[in-house]
């Protein structure tokens, strides 16, 4: 067994994926296995099951853990999960102190391992290579709204975590104001995540349909051509994502590219090709020309957390 072998993990709210990286096979994760949190009382229980399944229960393994939460301190609480991660407990199993990073930072680092075929361009300039010297932003629209950046510092790309999804937004359109009033009436903060997420789609539909509800966000995206309220919801969603994208490009100086990830963003690929997305993104009087040069692309992969953990191991 190569001494360069390491364990990587994507630890989410409902499941965890483990894989191996490093050694002669390179950084791309392999031997990937998924475990549901409902099936194991603790994270360590799932970890031991994975190791036993590969005959690695006695191995000494470094590790990188991409976690859905703030990667601070020895005890990490996972957002929306009954699990917590004890880095000391993981060290007792793997015999090496683990490294933990937020899942959004892992998403950003994953860009450095992806081939060009993983990126689907939207309107505007073609995507540029992700490499040292550039600044980039990653926006993950899925269960929640995650934001991270890759910033060049000291000649290398450094991931920057953020909680930008909780920034407030100002509605401009009649539908936007209707949504804002709906959020206020129900005690929802008027943050970007309140709209640009899976639950945000159903909340926005309820606001624009006069109180009707859709069971899942997929119901909203699938009924765009049949339900005017779905069409209005998606149109508002796309325009606000465009505005948010422009804000983040300015905030991080991400002149070299913005990358959209997550199941919701991928499902709305046709709608994101609408000129309204780019128009709202570039609607900044002082920097309209500079923003028109910023490429935006969808990332058509759903394993970015594991890839990012592997990339973090490779650059340690």
């Amino acid at each position: 067994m190569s001494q360069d072998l390491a364990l990587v993990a994507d630890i989410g709210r409902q499941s965890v994926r483990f894989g191996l990286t490093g050694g002669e096979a390179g950084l791309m994760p392999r031997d990937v296995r998924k475990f549901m949190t409902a099936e194991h009382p603790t994270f360590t229980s799932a970890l031991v099951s994975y190791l036993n399944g590969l005959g690695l229960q006695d191995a000494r393994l470094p590790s990188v853990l991409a976690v859905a939460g703030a990667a601070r301190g020895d005890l990490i609480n996972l957002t929306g999960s009954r699990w917590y991660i004890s880095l000391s407990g993981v060290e007792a199993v793997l015999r090496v102190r683990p490294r933990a990073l937020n899942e959004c930072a892992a998403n950003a680092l994953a860009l450095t391992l992806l081939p060009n075929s993983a990126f689907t361009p939207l309107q505007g300039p073609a995507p540029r290579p992700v490499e040292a010297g550039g600044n980039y932003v990653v926006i993950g629209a899925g269960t929640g709204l995650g934001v991270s950046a890759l910033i060049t510092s000291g000649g290398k790309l450094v991931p920057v975590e953020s909680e930008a999804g909780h920034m407030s937004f100002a509605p401009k359109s009649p539908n936007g104001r209707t949504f804002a009033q709906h959020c206020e009436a129900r005690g929802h903060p008027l943050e970007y995540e309140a709209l640009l997420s899976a639950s945000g789609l159903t909340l926005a539909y309820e606001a624009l349909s006069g109180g009707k509800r859709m069971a899942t966000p997929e119901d909203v995206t699938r009924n765009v051509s049949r339900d005017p309220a779905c069409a209005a919801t998606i149109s508002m969603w796309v325009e606000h994502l465009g505005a948010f994208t422009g804000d983040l490009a300015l905030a991080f100086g991400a002149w070299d590219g913005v990358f959209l990830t997550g199941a919701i963003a991928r499902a709305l690929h046709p709608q994101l090709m609408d000129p309204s997305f780019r128009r709202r993104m570039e609607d900044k009087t002082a920097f309209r020309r500079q923003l028109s040069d910023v490429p935006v692309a969808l990332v058509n992969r759903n394993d970015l957390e594991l890839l990012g953990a592997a990339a973090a191991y490779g650059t340690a």
Side-chain angles (χ1 to χ4, degrees), residues 131-244:
E131 57 189 12
N135 289 346
Y136 312 87
V137 158
V138 181
I139 304 172
T143 305
L145 179 63
V147 176
S148 55
L150 276 180
I151 303 297
T152 296
S153 177
K156 63 179 182 179
L157 288 171
V158 178
V160 179
E161 301 176 18
S162 92
E163 292 295 341
H166 296 288
M167 293 166 56
S168 299
F169 71 88
K172 293 184 177 181
S173 67
N175 281 344
R177 288 188 284 273
T178 297
F179 176 70
Q181 292 167 0
H182 187 79
C183 288
E184 183 178 3
R186 283 153 182 77
H188 293 286
L190 197 60
E191 301 172 346
Y192 273 107
E193 189 174 60
L195 174 61
L196 302 179
S197 61
S199 60
L201 276 178
T202 56
L203 182 65
Y205 177 84
E206 183 181 342
L208 301 188
S209 67
K212 292 190 294 184
R213 297 184 179 183
M214 286 286 190
T216 68
E218 290 79 11
D219 291 330
V220 181
T221 59
R222 291 170 186 159
N223 287 284
V224 171
S225 61
R226 294 185 290 271
D227 185 334
C230 286
T233 296
I234 297 303
S235 177
M236 180 175 68
W237 196 95
V238 166
E239 289 195 13
H240 278 88
L241 180 61
F244 189 49

Side-chain angles (χ1 to χ4, degrees), residues 57-82:
Q57 60 271 19
D58 297 320
R60 184 178 186 275
L61 291 173
S63 61
V64 180
L65 315 178
V67 300
R72 299 173 62 86
D74 182 77
L75 198 64
I76 300 173
N77 292 312
L78 300 175
T79 305
S81 173
R82 63 185 177 83

Side-chain angles (χ1 to χ4, degrees), residues 4-284:
D4 294 330
L5 194 67
L7 178 137
V8 289
D10 163 23
I11 310 167
R13 297 158 179 80
Q14 298 179 329
S15 66
V16 57
R17 288 184 294 177
F18 295 108
L20 299 177
T21 188
E24 297 178 358
L27 288 176
M28 297 302 288
R30 61 259 187 204
D31 293 311
V32 176
R33 303 286 188 275
K34 181 178 180 179
F35 298 83
M36 305 303 295
T37 57
E39 298 171 351
H40 291 272
T42 64
F43 170 75
T44 305
S45 169
L47 172 61
V48 170
S49 292
Y50 176 75
L51 297 172
N52 287 343
L54 294 179
L56 294 174
Q57 60 271 19
D58 297 320
R60 184 178 186 275
L61 291 173
S63 61
V64 180
L65 315 178
V67 300
R72 299 173 62 86
D74 182 77
L75 198 64
I76 300 173
N77 292 312
L78 300 175
T79 305
S81 173
R82 63 185 177 83
W83 275 5
Y84 63 87
I85 310 298
S86 165
L87 298 186
S88 297
V90 175
E91 182 178 7
V93 174
L94 298 178
R95 301 170 179 82
V96 182
R97 183 72 174 176
R99 175 185 175 186
L101 71 163
N102 177 264
E103 61 180 348
C104 295
N107 281 343
L109 280 172
L111 299 180
T112 63
L113 293 184
L114 292 175
N116 291 336
S117 59
F119 306 119
T120 301
L122 299 182
Q123 287 196 346
R128 299 169 192 154
V130 178
E131 57 189 12
N135 289 346
Y136 312 87
V137 158
V138 181
I139 304 172
T143 305
L145 179 63
V147 176
S148 55
L150 276 180
I151 303 297
T152 296
S153 177
K156 63 179 182 179
L157 288 171
V158 178
V160 179
E161 301 176 18
S162 92
E163 292 295 341
H166 296 288
M167 293 166 56
S168 299
F169 71 88
K172 293 184 177 181
S173 67
N175 281 344
R177 288 188 284 273
T178 297
F179 176 70
Q181 292 167 0
H182 187 79
C183 288
E184 183 178 3
R186 283 153 182 77
H188 293 286
L190 197 60
E191 301 172 346
Y192 273 107
E193 189 174 60
L195 174 61
L196 302 179
S197 61
S199 60
L201 276 178
T202 56
L203 182 65
Y205 177 84
E206 183 181 342
L208 301 188
S209 67
K212 292 190 294 184
R213 297 184 179 183
M214 286 286 190
T216 68
E218 290 79 11
D219 291 330
V220 181
T221 59
R222 291 170 186 159
N223 287 284
V224 171
S225 61
R226 294 185 290 271
D227 185 334
C230 286
T233 296
I234 297 303
S235 177
M236 180 175 68
W237 196 95
V238 166
E239 289 195 13
H240 278 88
L241 180 61
F244 189 49
T245 297
D247 288 344
L248 292 175
L250 293 177
F252 287 104
W255 309 117
D256 301 287
V258 177
F259 297 89
L260 307 180
T261 72
I264 300 297
R266 291 194 297 272
L268 294 179
H269 175 205
Q271 288 77 23
L272 288 169
M273 294 298 291
D274 189 275
S276 64
F277 172 84
R278 193 85 205 184
R279 183 175 63 250
R280 287 296 302 274
M281 172 185 164
E282 299 173 8
D283 188 18
K284 318 290 180 186

